[in-house]
Amino acid sequence: ALAADVKGDGTVDILDYTGIRLTILDLTTINDTLPDLPAVSDPRIRAFLDIALAQQGDPYVWGAEGPDSFDCSGFIHYCLTQAGYRVGRSTANTYSRRSDWAYVNRNALQPGDLMFYYSDDPNDGDHIGHIGIYLGNGYHIHASSDYGYIVICRVEGWYDRMLSHGRRVFQ
């Protein structure tokens, strides 16, 4: 049992399980400092990103839409509305299909674009199950059920494999 003691404190608990799951999924987070991000000149996008970044570390709670806890689509809804963009609360899957937001190929993402990830449930087909915000230079911010809070991560591992496309809200 101590082989599962990822934290090395002599006990095995949910934090150890989370560490194991993140290792299996090949996921890492940026906790202490912001990564080097590109400058954003559009004041609408800058405000949207600043609001998102201010939520880093807030808890993930399924169905929550802020201001103190979020699920992934609630996080997007909160950030957009706080930035002055009027949008109804929806799911990641519904947001991914909005035709009034320009479709963006995964290789053409720009800071402020929404990122959509396939569900990892094999019974869901091409269903979008997660959403985040692209920050630039290969980083994104999102409400993570795996980590349990709002995190900044590189788009690698699971995020790279499951990334479907983006949508550009601010055009």
Side-chain angles (χ1 to χ4, degrees):
L2 290 182
D5 182 14
V6 175
K7 297 187 320 292
D9 62 0
T11 65
V12 177
D13 59 20
I14 190 66
L15 294 176
D16 294 301
Y17 165 76
T18 300
I20 293 167
R21 178 164 166 74
L22 296 174
T23 300
I24 290 168
L25 293 173
D26 192 27
L27 302 178
T28 56
T29 183
I30 307 301
N31 287 324
D32 300 327
T33 60
L34 280 178
D36 183 28
L37 300 175
V40 175
S41 60
D42 185 319
R44 300 167 307 157
I45 298 170
R46 182 75 263 152
F48 175 58
L49 293 175
D50 287 344
I51 290 162
L53 291 168
Q55 310 319 307
Q56 185 179 7
D58 284 356
Y60 176 93
V61 175
W62 187 83
E65 54 191 67
D68 299 317
S69 60
F70 304 90
D71 71 3
C72 67
S73 57
F75 174 61
I76 300 304
H77 175 261
Y78 177 84
C79 294
L80 286 171
T81 58
Q82 292 299 304
Y85 190 95
R86 298 180 70 111
V87 62
R89 171 72 154 96
S90 196
T91 65
N93 192 49
T94 300
Y95 284 149
S96 77
R97 301 181 192 307
R98 284 188 61 132
S99 60
D100 59 326
W101 295 344
Y103 179 91
V104 179
N105 183 287
R106 59 178 281 143
N107 298 321
L109 291 166
Q110 296 177 6
D113 287 346
L114 302 182
M115 303 171 71
F116 299 95
Y117 301 88
Y118 293 113
S119 169
D120 53 6
D121 182 339
N123 299 318
D124 281 347
D126 69 349
H127 178 83
I128 298 297
H130 189 60
I131 185 173
I133 302 168
Y134 189 64
L135 296 173
N137 293 346
Y139 290 94
H140 65 136
I141 187 168
H142 61 109
S144 171
S145 60
D146 283 323
Y147 286 105
Y149 52 92
I150 306 288
V151 295
I152 295 173
C153 301
R154 289 201 55 77
V155 182
E156 61 187 11
W158 184 92
Y159 301 114
D160 183 49
R161 287 190 306 275
M162 302 304 276
L163 179 58
S164 169
H165 66 283
R167 290 277 180 188
R168 188 157 297 145
V169 176
F170 301 98
Q171 301 177 49

